[in-house]
Each structure stands twice: as structure tokens, then as C-alpha cells.
Amino acid sequence: MLQALGSQVSLIALEDRVLEQFDPMISRVLMREMEKQSIDLHMGFEVNELSQDAPGISVHGSGRRRGSSQRDHIHG
């Protein structure tokens, strides 16, 4: 809903998929729909630090599956 109102929306989760406790098909469909709405999904991401910067909030952490350090921005 916030994406439709013009906000940039990101979902950052430690789990590998949304609704991990539910049927995998439901999870895949929901994730596909979220991506169609331009919601940035960062699954399997462990947050280590949050910091304030000019465009918004920086999220620092690493992706478990990727094995490398990453930096993502959530613009406020």
C-alpha cells in the first residue's frame, strides 16, 4: 500500500522467503506479487547495523546465501 502511495518499500528478512511457516507456493506467489509492485525484497539478510545518512537509513549486514558483505539503503 505504501508503495502505491509513492514511498519506496524494502522488506529485509533473515528468512529465505516470506511466510516461511506457510506453504511454499503461497510464499512464492506473495513474493512475486510484491516484486511486481516494485517492493525490494532482501531475503536471507542478517542486519548488523543501522545508520542515518543523507537519503535515509542505511542497513548494513550480510546475506547468508551470498556469503559476502552487502549494504542496502532504505530511503526515508
Side-chain angles (χ1 to χ4, degrees):
M1 176 180 256
L2 294 174
Q3 186 76 19
L5 296 173
S7 295
Q8 180 181 353
V9 178
S10 298
L11 174 66
I12 300 171
L14 187 58
E15 295 81 12
D16 292 326
R17 59 185 174 89
V18 297
L19 300 177
E20 195 170 71
Q21 304 286 325
F22 288 77
D23 185 284
M25 183 188 73
I26 295 170
S27 177
R28 282 192 305 272
V29 170
L30 178 59
M31 288 175 67
R32 199 169 327 147
E33 289 302 315
M34 292 172 85
E35 288 172 339
K36 282 182 187 177
Q37 295 178 27
S38 298
I39 296 173
D40 295 326
L41 301 177
H42 303 274
M43 308 309 295
F45 190 88
E46 184 174 359
V47 175
N48 297 322
E49 178 185 350
L50 299 174
S51 62
Q52 184 79 39
D53 61 13
I57 299 171
S58 289
V59 179
H60 307 270
S62 60
R64 291 178 298 168
R65 290 181 291 164
R66 296 174 204 93
S68 61
S69 182
Q70 298 180 9
R71 180 177 171 162
D72 290 316
H73 292 282
I74 302 171
H75 302 284

